[in-house]
Amino acid sequence: KEIIEEIKELSQLNLEDIAILAWLIDSERKNYNLESLTRFFFKEKTLSAPEDYLGQFLNLAEAIKIKVSSLSLDHIWETIEKPLLPILAQMEISGIFVNKQILKHLQEEAEKEIKVLENKIYQLAQKTFNINSYQQLAEVLFKDLQLDVSTLKKTRTGKFSTDVFELTKIKDSHSIIPLIIDYRQLEKLKTAFLDPLPQFINEKTQRIHTIWKQTGTATGRLSSEAPNLQNIPSKGEWGKKIRKAFEAAPDFSFLSLDYSQIELRIASHLSLDPKMLAAFQEDKDIHTLTASLINNIEEEKVTPAMRQLAKILNFGIIYGMGAKALSETAGISLKEARKFKEEYFHDFSGLKNYLEHSLEQAKKLGYVETLFGRKRFLPLIGSLGQIGRQEERIAMNMPIQGLAADIIKLSMIKISDFIKSQNLDDEVRLILQIHDELILEVKSAIIKEIAPQLKVIMEQVMDWEVPLKAEITIGKNWGELE
DNA sequence: TCACGAGGCCAC
DNA sequence: AAACGTGGCCTCGTGA
Ligand SMILES: Nc1nc2c(ncn2[C@H]2C[C@H](O)[C@@H](COP(=O)(O)OP(=O)(O)OP(=O)(O)O)O2)c(=O)[nH]1
Ligand SMILES: [Mn+2]
Ligand SMILES: [Mn+2]
């Protein structure tokens, strides 16, 4: 501890700062602790004797500073990551209230439903087995019940896949299949959310305090762990039920602001694609447009589920999805998928050119970067085969996903400054960041007045031709935002 | 008892 | 599962 304090004073950096700087240099590492960083930056040496630690750490901090500035990463550090750090620390301290009784109730409800499904499955299988074991499940389906395997994909280790997509393909061949699909979903919600979440509730605060990881991704996004609050279920009846357990404090409400079609808007700005820019100038919704084209219906008839699927298609196509995957995801023929992609990039030819430009830059320089200079190195991009191809897709994705991350981080900083400047610390708190969405806890009495101001901050953060748009929703709990 | 890969699935 | 990408975390099976 003493040593750490000394390091702080001498280098003007603390351990967290060093980790973040190292992450800016090399964003794909698992680990940014001092041991592994020392090994990385002074390749031949390992940690020396304890009495040399201080000197070694100072050397490390110095080496990292030099590297940061040679890669021009100072800007992103000074303007984004450094001011963000205390904001994340405050968000951890704030936490979010979770209603234990609701969770417990849902847990029991899920358990009952799971038991019922379990028994029906055993009956149809005429034996009991562990449904959670896909090996045992595959044996029951394909040996005992003799279900047709001819259409089924194999996993990469050569076994028959039993994932939802494959099960759905054969769902009409036996009444056990739909039950297994339902079982899987409920079991997932129970084991991944309902069971563990109560454990994370802090006794003193009755709130969950996630860990916000500032060095957790290769693109600049945040991640959240213990528990991950960025993947709480949102779809369907159960998603809503679970989110309802996250409640605003008495006299407070949740305010959510989610950027509309964010990576598409960013892509239009970066590519200057005339059609895509025009679409956003006219406040069009490209996810909805894609849904209407795929389903052959009017945009007014597009359901939320259809729009969600179209979202996957839009980003999938942009980031290099193949025609085969497109056809299966969209539920269209291979021929139609090929045609859809062709027309997509014909319509958005400026986008296509931009993506190719990203690829060229990556091949030439060995890295890609965002508008703010956040970098991701791609040492294998020239190589033949699967890994080379994968890095090509990364090269197309990172400058866009990474810029989206830069943008929302800037918004967080501006919103935090706004809260401070207006002396609203007791009335407005940042609670969650979910990649392109901020959730705040705001005194109900002033929320109507605050919401549009925060919306403006988020929408004006970039000063671009293409409008950024943030959608406001408000509610007493996370499941009932309107 | 623990660590790890595989398979799987939740979110953006 | 796949020529979309970014994560975290669950269970199972296996091997120390
Ligand atoms: N590559 C990829 N990126 C995704 C996917 N889903 C979400 N994202 C990224 C791109 C989105 O712009 C961003 C935010 O997700 P949202 O669910 O908020 O979607 P988006 O903002 O596009 O539409 P929205 O108007 O908010 O419904 O996350 C996906 O399936 N693939
Ligand atoms: Mn969005
Ligand atoms: Mn979102």
Side-chain angles (χ1 to χ4, degrees), chain A residues 84-141:
Chain A
L84 184 67
L85 200 157
I87 296 171
L88 295 178
Q90 183 56 54
M91 285 165 67
E92 285 191 14
I93 292 166
S94 296
I96 183 166
F97 177 84
V98 179
N99 187 318
K100 248 186 204 160
Q101 279 67 46
I102 293 183
L103 283 184
K104 198 170 162 219
H105 191 226
L106 289 175
Q107 201 181 15
E108 285 162 6
E109 186 183 342
E111 197 166 330
K112 268 189 217 152
E113 281 197 41
I114 287 168
K115 281 256 168 63
V116 171
L117 288 165
E118 224 172 52
N119 286 329
K120 284 189 191 162
I121 289 167
Y122 295 154
Q123 230 164 38
L124 288 170
Q126 297 187 6
K127 71 197 249 191
T128 62
F129 63 102
N130 187 347
I131 310 169
N132 296 328
S133 161
Y134 40 83
Q135 286 178 29
Q136 294 180 38
L137 179 68
E139 204 174 292
V140 167
L141 295 182

Side-chain angles (χ1 to χ4, degrees), chain A residues 108-258:
Chain A
E108 285 162 6
E109 186 183 342
E111 197 166 330
K112 268 189 217 152
E113 281 197 41
I114 287 168
K115 281 256 168 63
V116 171
L117 288 165
E118 224 172 52
N119 286 329
K120 284 189 191 162
I121 289 167
Y122 295 154
Q123 230 164 38
L124 288 170
Q126 297 187 6
K127 71 197 249 191
T128 62
F129 63 102
N130 187 347
I131 310 169
N132 296 328
S133 161
Y134 40 83
Q135 286 178 29
Q136 294 180 38
L137 179 68
E139 204 174 292
V140 167
L141 295 182
F142 310 132
K143 278 222 190 90
D144 299 354
L145 298 177
Q146 294 281 313
L147 297 188
D148 182 18
V149 295
S150 61
T151 61
L152 289 187
K153 292 275 190 323
K154 300 263 184 87
T155 64
R156 53 200 195 104
T157 53
K159 294 174 195 129
F160 288 113
S161 167
T162 68
D163 72 20
V164 195
F165 183 80
E166 296 305 315
L167 290 182
T168 305
K169 286 206 296 212
I170 56 168
K171 76 174 186 322
D172 292 330
S173 68
H174 198 288
S175 53
I176 199 173
I177 303 291
L179 296 177
I180 290 166
I181 294 172
D182 288 351
Y183 171 92
R184 278 260 180 88
Q185 196 195 352
L186 263 187
E187 175 76 7
K188 172 81 180 180
L189 295 180
K190 182 172 175 296
T191 59
F193 302 100
L194 297 174
D195 293 343
L197 276 178
Q199 319 269 136
F200 287 106
I201 298 175
N202 182 298
E203 269 308 314
K204 272 216 316 250
T205 63
Q206 286 298 302
R207 296 167 79 93
I208 289 183
H209 305 265
T210 186
I211 296 165
W212 293 104
K213 278 172 70 179
Q214 205 168 346
T215 59
T217 71
T219 56
R221 276 185 171 189
L222 297 177
S223 72
S224 155
E225 69 176 2
N228 183 357
L229 292 183
Q230 292 182 313
N231 76 337
I232 300 300
S234 69
K235 288 185 286 187
E237 174 199 350
W238 277 91
K240 184 168 177 159
K241 281 189 197 176
I242 293 172
R243 287 193 172 198
K244 272 181 160 179
F246 294 77
E247 296 173 350
D251 296 328
F252 284 79
S253 298
F254 286 139
L255 165 62
S256 158
L257 302 115
D258 186 309

Side-chain angles (χ1 to χ4, degrees), chain A residues 258-259 262 311 434-437:
Chain A
D258 186 309
Y259 279 113
I262 185 62
K311 205 182 271 188
I434 309 177
H435 308 304
D436 75 329
E437 175 185 14

